[in-house]
Amino acid sequence: RMAHPNEEHLRKANDALNGGDMDAFIGAHAPDVVFHYQGSSPLAGDHHGREEMGAMFGKFVGMLDVPPQADVHDCLANDEHGVLMVVQHLTRGGETIDVPANVDFHFRDGLVSEVWFSALDQAALDAFLA
C-alpha cells in the first residue's frame, strides 16, 4: 500500500530524533507548534513554538546517558491527524526503561502543528525522569 505523505513525515521525524538530528526533527514541526508532554516530570507541560519544544528536547536528551530511541510499532496518518505507536528506550544513570507510548499529531500545511505525548505507564516514566 502507498503510505500517506504524513505517515512518511512522522517516520522521518522519528528517525531524525533517533539519530540525534535535532535540526531535522524540530524542522518537521510548524514554527508555532504546541507540544503537550503529560505527567509530572521536569519535561511536563505545554511547550509553545519550536524554540520551547527544542529546549524541552534539549533538557530531555541532557537527562539521558544516550539520546532517546523510539521503535515504531505502527504509524497511522491522514490529511489532518497522525498517531505513532512507539516503545521509547531511555537510559539514565546506567538504568534503562522501555516506555510504550502513543504520540498524537495534528498537521497543518505539511508540518506537525500540535503533539500529545502519552506514555502508557505515565507514573513509571515520571519516576524515571524525576
Side-chain angles (χ1 to χ4, degrees):
R1 74 172 176 84
M2 281 283 287
H4 190 282
N6 285 338
E7 178 182 340
E8 293 298 319
H9 187 85
L10 292 178
R11 288 183 184 275
K12 285 179 183 171
N14 187 72
D15 289 346
L17 182 60
N18 282 348
D21 186 348
M22 292 307 289
D23 288 340
F25 175 70
I26 299 296
H29 299 77
D32 63 345
V33 64
V34 180
F35 195 106
H36 307 278
Y37 199 99
Q38 307 298 318
S40 61
S41 80
L43 306 177
D46 296 338
H47 307 277
H48 297 266
R50 285 179 177 165
E51 190 172 310
E52 283 187 19
M53 183 183 139
M56 185 268 293
F57 272 93
K59 180 189 286 187
F60 186 30
V61 171
M63 296 169 76
L64 302 174
D65 297 350
V66 295
Q69 296 295 306
D71 294 333
V72 176
H73 175 68
D74 205 351
C75 179
L76 312 168
N78 60 32
D79 290 344
E80 294 182 23
H81 302 102
V83 178
L84 275 175
M85 293 178 274
V86 300
V87 177
Q88 199 172 53
H89 308 287
L90 308 177
T91 303
R92 185 176 190 206
E95 182 182 337
T96 298
I97 186 174
D98 296 327
V99 181
N102 293 325
V103 192
D104 302 313
F105 302 87
H106 277 174
F107 288 94
R108 186 182 69 245
D109 301 326
L111 295 173
V112 173
S113 60
E114 198 159 7
V115 184
W116 292 263
F117 179 90
S118 303
L120 274 60
D121 187 345
Q122 189 66 53
L125 178 59
D126 286 344
F128 188 76
L129 296 174

